[in-house]
Amino acid sequence: VALHILAQNASCSDPRRVSANTSTIDLVQLLEWKFKEELLNIRIHGNPLTSYYQLSLDVLALCQVNGHFSPAIASTLLSPGQKKYYFDTKFSVDTAAVSVLAQICLLTTGQSLPPKVHQKIRQNVQWLVDKILAEKNSSGVIGNIYSTGLAMQALSVSSSYLEPGAWSCLKTLQRVLDEIPRGTFNNPMAASQILPSLEGNSYLNVSRLNCSMDSGKENHLPLPTPRPTSSTSRPPSISVTYTVADGVNNTFNDSISVTVPQGSVFFKVMEEAQNKDPNKFSFTYTWYSWGPYITSVRGLKADNKKRTYWQLLSNGISLSKGAGDYVVSQGERLEVRFSIY
Ligand code: B12
Ligand SMILES: *[C@@H]1O[C@H](CO)[C@@H](O)[C@H](O)[C@H]1NC(C)=O
Ligand SMILES: *[C@@H]1O[C@H](CO)[C@@H](O)[C@H](O)[C@H]1NC(C)=O
Ligand SMILES: *[C@@H]1O[C@H](CO)[C@@H](O)[C@H](O)[C@H]1NC(C)=O
Ligand SMILES: *[C@@H]1O[C@H](CO)[C@@H](O)[C@H](O)[C@H]1NC(C)=O
Ligand SMILES: *[C@@H]1O[C@H](CO)[C@@H](O)[C@H](O)[C@H]1NC(C)=O
Ligand SMILES: *[C@@H]1O[C@H](CO)[C@@H](O)[C@H](O)[C@H]1NC(C)=O
C-alpha cells in the first residue's frame, strides 16, 4: 500500500481517491490502519507483522502525503536496534536506507516537531548513515549492488550528516553505470530501485513534483518493440550439483546432479531436480514483483514468525539474486538451505 501511495503520488494522481472498478479507495486511510496493526503487533509480540523495511516504507509514504500518525512513535520505531536493521548478523543497507528517507521526510516536512523528537530522529539518522557508510567497499558498492541505489538516495538526502569526503557519490554512480550494460538491473524491480538516484532524485522528490506541468499533455512513451530472439542452434548442456538441506534442524541434506541448457537459471535446475526425484526435491514458490520466491522445499515451509526462509547459495556463498534471475554455470554447486534470518 505504501508503494502504491508513492506511485500514485508520482503519477500526479490522488492516493486518497483511487478509482477501483466502480468505487474509490482511500489508500492513505488504508495504510494508516495497516500501520496501526503493525504497532499493535509490536506491542504484543515484540515484532512487526512484516519487517522494518516495510515499516520504514509506511512512515515514508504517510509522511509524504501528510497522513495521520505520530512522529514521536515513528522516531522510537525506527531507532537503532539489532532486530530491526539486521538479518541474522548481516546489516540490511536496504532497510537502513528506506528508514533514513522516512526520517529525513519527518524532519523536513511542514509540521514542527517537539525538540526531543527532533533530536531523537537526528540521532537515529546519524547512526544509520554511519552504518550505511561502513558497508561501502572500495569500488563504491554500498552493501551489495542491489542496495546501492537505495543507499545513494539515503546518503544524498542526508549530506549534512556526512563528514566531508566520507562518500564519493561519483565513484558509486560510475560503478552502477558500469553494471547496467552487464544486465545487472534487467529485473524491473532492480531497475526501479536504481533509477531515481541516476536522475538526481530520491523518493522524497515524489511529493514535490509540479503536477500542473503535466496537465493537458498526453503521455506517449515510445515503447521499444522487442526484437525476436534469433536462437537457431540449441545451446550446449551443462551439469551442476544441486543440494537441498535443512540448515536449522539438520533433518536432511540431499544432493543430485542435474543437466540443463547453458544459460539456464537456478529455478530451471530446481525444476529438473524435482522432475527427476519429486520425493526429495519438490518445492513451491510465490510470484513477487522480483520474480519467484521459494516458499517450501520437500514440504518444509518458510515461516516469517520463526524467521525461517529458504536461502539460495552457490559454492557455499549466499546469492544476491533470486532463483528466476541467477544464471548457473558448469560445475557449480548450488544449494537451497533452510535458514534463519
Ligand atoms: C525483507 C527481505 C527479505 C526477507 C523476506 C521475508 C520478510 N521477513 O519480509 C528474507 C530475509 C527472507 C529475504 C530472502 C531473500 N532475499 Co530478500 N529482501 C528483503 C528486502 C530487505 C525487503 C523486501 C520488502 O519487504 N519489500 C517491500 C514489499 C512491499 O515488497 P514485496 O515485493 O511484496 O516484498 C516481498 C518479496 O520481495 C519477498 N522477497 C524478499 N526478498 C526476495 C528476493 C527475491 C529474489 C524474491 C523473488 C522475493 C523476495 O519477500 C518480501 C516480503 O514478503 C529487500 C530489499 C529491497 N531492496 O527490496 C531484499 C531483496 C529483495 N532480497 C534479495 C535477495 C537476493 C534475497 C534472497 C534470494 C537471498 C538468498 N541468497 O537466499 C532470498 C530469497 C530466496 C527465496 N526463498 O526465494 C535481493 C534481490 C536482488 C535481486 N536482484 O533479485 C534484495 C533486493 C536485497 C539485496 N539488496 O540484495 N529477503
Ligand atoms: C467490478 O465490479 C463488478 C460489479 O460490482 C463486479 O462484478 C466485478 O467482479 C468487479 N471486478 C473486480 C476486478 O473487482
Ligand atoms: C565490492 O562489492 C561488490 C558487490 O558485492 C563486489 O562485486 C566487488 O568485488 C567488491 N569490490 C571490492 C574492491 O571489494
Ligand atoms: C529533488 O529534491 C532535492 C531537494 O529538494 C533537489 O535538490 C533536487 O534538485 C530534486 N531533484 C530533481 C531532479 O529535481
Ligand atoms: C509548475 O509548472 C507550471 C507550468 O509549467 C508553472 O506555471 C508553475 O509556475 C510551476 N509551479 C511551480 C511551483 O514550480
Ligand atoms: C549439505 O551437504 C553439502 C555437501 O556435503 C555441504 O556442502 C553443505 O554445507 C551441507 N549443508 C548443510 C546446511 O549442512
Ligand atoms: C526444529 O525442531 C524442534 C524440535 O523438534 C521444533 O520445535 C522446531 O519447530 C524446529 N524448527 C523449525 C524451524 O522448524
Side-chain angles (χ1 to χ4, degrees), residues 243 245 247 253 333 335 337:
T243 303
N253 184 343
R333 283 188 301 115
E335 183 180 342
R337 182 187 294 174

Side-chain angles (χ1 to χ4, degrees), residues 1 31 87 127 149 309 329:
V1 175
L31 187 62
F87 291 121
W127 183 81
Y309 77 114
S329 40

Side-chain angles (χ1 to χ4, degrees), residues 105-175:
C105 181
L106 294 178
L107 290 175
T108 51
T109 306
Q111 58 175 321
S112 64
L113 301 165
K116 271 196 173 155
V117 175
H118 189 94
Q119 204 202 337
K120 183 165 183 74
I121 297 176
R122 285 191 55 91
Q123 285 169 354
N124 293 348
V125 172
Q126 189 64 61
W127 183 81
L128 290 164
V129 164
D130 291 344
K131 285 281 184 185
I132 291 171
L133 283 174
E135 299 293 324
K136 167 174 67 71
N137 81 8
S138 57
S139 78
V141 170
I142 308 168
N144 70 16
I145 197 70
Y146 298 107
S147 51
T148 301
L150 295 177
M152 286 176 79
Q153 288 193 42
L155 295 178
S156 70
V157 300
S158 55
S159 47
S160 64
Y161 295 77
L162 298 172
E163 300 277 351
W167 174 53
S168 165
C169 178
L170 215 59
K171 189 177 186 180
T172 297
L173 182 62
Q174 192 53 56
R175 177 64 210 266

Side-chain angles (χ1 to χ4, degrees), residues 210-213:
N210 182 351
C211 285
S212 56
M213 277 162 68

Side-chain angles (χ1 to χ4, degrees), residues 101-320:
L101 288 166
Q103 294 186 81
I104 295 291
C105 181
L106 294 178
L107 290 175
T108 51
T109 306
Q111 58 175 321
S112 64
L113 301 165
K116 271 196 173 155
V117 175
H118 189 94
Q119 204 202 337
K120 183 165 183 74
I121 297 176
R122 285 191 55 91
Q123 285 169 354
N124 293 348
V125 172
Q126 189 64 61
W127 183 81
L128 290 164
V129 164
D130 291 344
K131 285 281 184 185
I132 291 171
L133 283 174
E135 299 293 324
K136 167 174 67 71
N137 81 8
S138 57
S139 78
V141 170
I142 308 168
N144 70 16
I145 197 70
Y146 298 107
S147 51
T148 301
L150 295 177
M152 286 176 79
Q153 288 193 42
L155 295 178
S156 70
V157 300
S158 55
S159 47
S160 64
Y161 295 77
L162 298 172
E163 300 277 351
W167 174 53
S168 165
C169 178
L170 215 59
K171 189 177 186 180
T172 297
L173 182 62
Q174 192 53 56
R175 177 64 210 266
V176 168
L177 292 174
D178 289 345
E179 288 291 333
I180 295 172
R182 292 182 200 156
T184 305
F185 304 108
N186 282 1
N187 183 305
M189 277 305 289
S192 87
Q193 294 191 349
I194 205 76
L195 253 175
S197 55
L198 300 182
E199 302 191 326
N201 274 320
S202 78
Y203 292 154
L204 297 185
N205 291 81
V206 160
S207 63
R208 299 172 188 147
L209 293 174
N210 182 351
C211 285
S212 56
M213 277 162 68
D214 257 7
S215 62
K217 263 190 248 166
E218 291 289 328
N219 257 325
H220 291 298
L221 284 177
L223 291 173
T225 37
R227 251 176 293 159
T229 42
S230 55
S231 61
T232 41
S233 58
R234 219 167 348 116
S237 288
I238 56 167
S239 53
V240 297
T241 312
Y242 172 59
T243 303
V244 297
D246 172 3
V248 175
N249 274 343
N250 300 310
T251 53
F252 58 85
N253 184 343
D254 291 301
S255 298
I256 188 173
S257 179
V258 173
T259 304
V260 291
Q262 196 170 53
S264 295
V265 293
F266 199 140
F267 192 80
K268 174 86 176 161
V269 171
M270 297 180 70
E271 284 184 319
E272 286 298 320
Q274 179 172 243
N275 288 340
K276 275 174 102 171
D277 189 347
N279 282 328
K280 284 181 178 157
F281 299 101
S282 67
F283 70 98
T284 61
Y285 61 95
T286 306
W287 205 264
Y288 282 101
S289 46
W290 281 99
Y293 178 81
I294 311 306
T295 47
S296 83
V297 177
R298 205 157 135 170
L300 182 55
K301 284 199 193 82
D303 183 352
N304 275 338
K305 288 199 196 85
K306 293 181 182 164
R307 294 177 81 87
T308 54
Y309 77 114
W310 280 98
Q311 183 183 25
L312 312 179
L313 305 101
S314 166
N315 297 327
I317 294 165
S318 191
L319 294 177
S320 61

